[in-house]
Amino acid sequence: MITAKYQHLALAQVQPGMILSHELLDLQGHVLLPRGTTLTQKMLTAMPHHGIEMLPILEPETASKEERTADRERRQQRLARLFRKMDPASDGDWATAQLQRFVADFCVGTESPE
């Protein structure tokens, strides 16, 4: 399974356009920015005011299209196995169907593997 790689960078090394790999918390544990945020210069300028010295930055993806497609297929097969006892046509188990959609969106995503 392909996992996102990240690195902790000193604030001085971070450039606008880089992406956070994890939620960014302040010293009190409050979420300043959610995971996946594309950083702007304005955000970077405000970091010292919140005591931020290091940022978890997502490394650019290096997997090929074929690897991403194969990984996506493996995740879809795993979800099908986990939810194998659920009848998708049944209206009686709407909660499990909703859970399956949420899990699929989170684990597999809805974007194309390109």
Side-chain angles (χ1 to χ4, degrees), residues 57-70:
I57 300 297
L58 192 64
E59 291 183 4
E61 191 172 310
T62 58
S64 69
K65 180 179 177 182
E66 292 78 19
E67 289 171 321
R68 292 191 308 272
T69 300

Side-chain angles (χ1 to χ4, degrees), residues 64-105:
S64 69
K65 180 179 177 182
E66 292 78 19
E67 289 171 321
R68 292 191 308 272
T69 300
D71 182 60
R72 185 180 174 93
E73 179 61 30
R74 280 191 298 275
R75 287 183 276 154
Q76 287 173 330
Q77 289 173 358
R78 174 72 175 140
L79 285 173
R81 181 171 154 24
L82 289 172
F83 288 94
R84 67 186 175 275
K85 293 185 179 183
M86 188 195 92
D87 179 9
S90 171
D91 290 334
D93 197 5
W94 64 268
T96 303
Q98 186 71 15
L99 175 63
Q100 182 182 18
R101 281 191 293 276
F102 287 144
V103 171
D105 286 347

Side-chain angles (χ1 to χ4, degrees), residues 10-23:
L11 185 57
Q13 295 176 295
V14 178
Q15 299 294 318
M18 290 183 167
I19 300 171
L20 285 177
S21 63
H22 295 80
E23 288 181 331

Side-chain angles (χ1 to χ4, degrees), residues 32-46:
L32 291 175
L33 296 170
R35 175 182 69 169
T37 298
T38 301
L39 297 167
T40 65
Q41 186 59 51
K42 185 175 180 178
M43 291 173 188
L44 295 173
T45 302

